[in-house]
Amino acid sequence: MTRELRIGAAQLGPIARNDSRADVVVRLLDLLSQAEAAEVELIVYPELALTTFFPRWHLEDDDEILSFYEPSMPSPETKPLFDAAAEAGIGFCLGYAELHTSPDGKVHRYNSQILVERDGSTVATFRKIHIPGHEHNEDWREFQHLERRYFEPGPDGFGVWPAFGGLVGMMICNDRRWPETYRVMGLRGVELILCGYNTPIHYAPDPGQDRLQSFHNHLVMQAGAYQNGTWVVGVAKGGVEEGVHSLAESAIIAPSGEIVARAETDGDELVVATCDLDWCRNYKETLFDFDYYRMPEHYGRITAQRGAVPPQEAP
Ligand code: CDV
C-alpha cells in the first residue's frame, strides 16, 4: 500500500479587522476548490485563519475581544467549509481562536487548530502550547503582540494521531521554534506535523532579528523535520495586514530537511506537494534511530528545569 499523501499548504494573505467570517470562508473555499483540482487530500490553513491577527492591539472592549473567538467548531459561518471539504473528500487543518467551556464550567481561551479527516470526522483539536509576546500594553512598540493577554497555554500537550494513513501531529506558530515540540512528537513516531503561523517581520524586543525572519522560519522547521525524520507543513498568513507586514514563505518540508515546495507570493496561494510518508523511515531507522542511539539518561534537565542555570563559578 502506498503511503503517498497529496498535501496543500493554503497560505492566506491579509485579513482586515472588519472582514467578516463569511468573507474569509469564501477565500478558504476558493483555496479548497484549487486543492480539489490539484487532487489534494489534505489542505492546511494558517493560524487564526478566520480573522485578522487581533493580538496586535490592546483591546479594551470585551464584546469586541469575544467577537474574535469561536464558541463552537464548526460554527454556523464555517459549516460551509466543513461540508464542502467532506463533499470533496479532502481533509483539512484550520487555525482559530477557541472559546472553550470545560466540564467544570470554566471558560478558556485557546489558540487552536482543528484537524478533520477526509470523511468529515474530527481527528483532534490542538491548542498552542508556547504563547509568545506579552500580557500588558507596551506603548513603546510599533504594534503589540498580546497573545499572552488573549490566550492561555494549551493543557493537552503535543498529541500524535493516526490519520491520513500515517501519524500526524500539530503545532502552532511559536511552537515551531522550540526543539522540544518536535522531539515530543518524534517520540510518538510522528510522520507529518502541521503548523499554521502569523509571524510579523518586525520583532520589537530585538529588531536585529527582522532581517533573519525568513531564515529562522525555515531553519527551525527544516531542522525539526530532519532531526525527527518527519514531514513538516508550515503555512503562513502573510503580507501587510492592518499596517503590519508578516512573513509568508509557506513551505512543505521533507524528512530530509529539504523544502520540496514553497510559496512564491505573500497572498492567498496553494502550495502543493506529494508527500511519501515512508520517506520518514529512511531517517527514523538509520541516523535517527531513537531507540538505538538516544541517551535520555543525559537529557534530564530538559524536563527538570525551565530557565538556564549556569554552573557555579569556581571559588
Ligand atoms: N504568532 C506567533 O506565535 N508569532 C511569533 C512571533 C511573535 C515571534 C512567532 O514565533 O512567529
Side-chain angles (χ1 to χ4, degrees):
M1 190 190 84
T2 169
R3 293 212 303 143
E4 284 188 348
L5 184 68
R6 202 147 160 81
I7 300 180
Q11 177 175 283
L12 286 176
I15 298 176
R17 186 168 181 166
N18 59 8
D19 281 349
S20 69
R21 300 285 198 288
D23 295 332
V24 177
V25 169
V26 166
R27 290 166 60 185
L28 303 183
L29 286 169
D30 181 48
L31 287 158
L32 183 75
S33 300
Q34 293 178 41
E36 190 173 10
E39 298 184 357
V40 159
E41 299 162 270
L42 168 60
I43 182 169
V44 186
Y45 297 106
E47 176 192 31
L48 301 176
L50 297 174
T51 66
T52 199
F53 190 74
F54 62 94
R56 74 169 61 89
W57 296 295
H58 186 265
L59 303 169
E60 312 254 4
D61 181 79
D62 278 345
D63 287 343
E64 186 180 13
I65 295 172
L66 277 178
S67 75
F68 289 106
Y69 293 81
E70 314 298 323
S72 66
M73 188 56 66
S75 54
E77 296 92 341
T78 54
K79 183 85 171 38
L81 175 69
F82 281 71
D83 291 346
E87 171 89 1
I90 299 176
F92 67 93
C93 179
L94 176 74
Y96 63 100
E98 180 190 10
L99 206 61
H100 174 76
T101 307
S102 52
D104 63 4
K106 273 189 83 177
V107 177
H108 301 270
R109 297 174 186 202
Y110 299 121
N111 185 339
S112 301
Q113 239 173 221
I114 188 169
L115 179 62
V116 177
E117 255 289 7
R118 293 157 287 193
D119 63 1
S121 61
T122 298
V123 177
T125 301
F126 168 73
R127 298 173 177 126
K128 183 173 182 176
I129 307 273
H130 299 95
I131 308 294
H134 50 107
E135 210 174 325
H136 302 291
N137 201 9
E138 297 188 7
D139 285 342
W140 57 272
R141 293 174 184 254
E142 260 175 53
F143 53 88
Q144 307 293 304
H145 197 105
L146 285 159
E147 281 196 66
R148 292 180 80 88
R149 170 174 162 86
Y150 297 123
F151 300 114
E152 59 188 283
D156 309 317
F158 293 102
V160 171
W161 299 273
F164 296 93
L167 295 173
V168 184
M170 291 187 270
M171 61 185 180
I172 300 179
C173 196
N174 191 260
D175 290 324
R176 77 194 188 288
R177 300 189 192 270
W178 300 90
E180 295 87 348
T181 297
Y182 303 85
R183 184 47 53 92
V184 168
M185 289 189 265
L187 286 167
R188 305 300 303 276
V190 75
E191 296 173 313
L192 171 63
I193 301 178
L194 311 175
C195 178
Y197 61 88
N198 283 262
T199 295
I201 293 190
H202 176 55
Y203 183 62
D206 177 18
Q209 295 178 32
D210 296 3
R211 72 179 180 84
L212 299 168
Q213 287 296 356
S214 162
F215 168 61
H216 287 159
N217 176 46
H218 287 157
L219 174 73
V220 289
M221 292 193 290
Q222 290 182 257
Y226 166 64
Q227 290 169 342
N228 294 278
T230 180
W231 288 88
V232 173
V233 180
V235 188
K237 174 139 68 63
V240 181
E241 186 180 88
E242 299 292 352
V244 175
H245 192 189
S246 287
L247 188 72
E249 305 196 8
S250 302
I252 300 179
I253 300 159
S256 59
E258 294 166 288
I259 293 175
V260 297
R262 63 185 284 176
E264 288 170 7
T265 71
D266 61 4
D268 292 11
E269 180 182 346
L270 186 73
V271 178
V272 178
T274 301
C275 303
D276 178 2
L277 299 180
D278 283 329
W279 193 353
C280 300
R281 294 176 51 191
N282 292 43
Y283 291 87
K284 290 186 191 294
E285 295 179 3
T286 61
L287 198 68
F288 294 115
D289 181 338
F290 288 174
D291 198 36
Y292 196 58
Y293 292 117
R294 285 184 78 249
M295 299 294 287
E297 58 273 40
H298 296 296
Y299 308 153
R301 279 186 189 278
I302 287 179
T303 53
Q305 68 191 57
R306 183 191 292 254
V309 179
Q312 295 271 311
E313 274 181 35

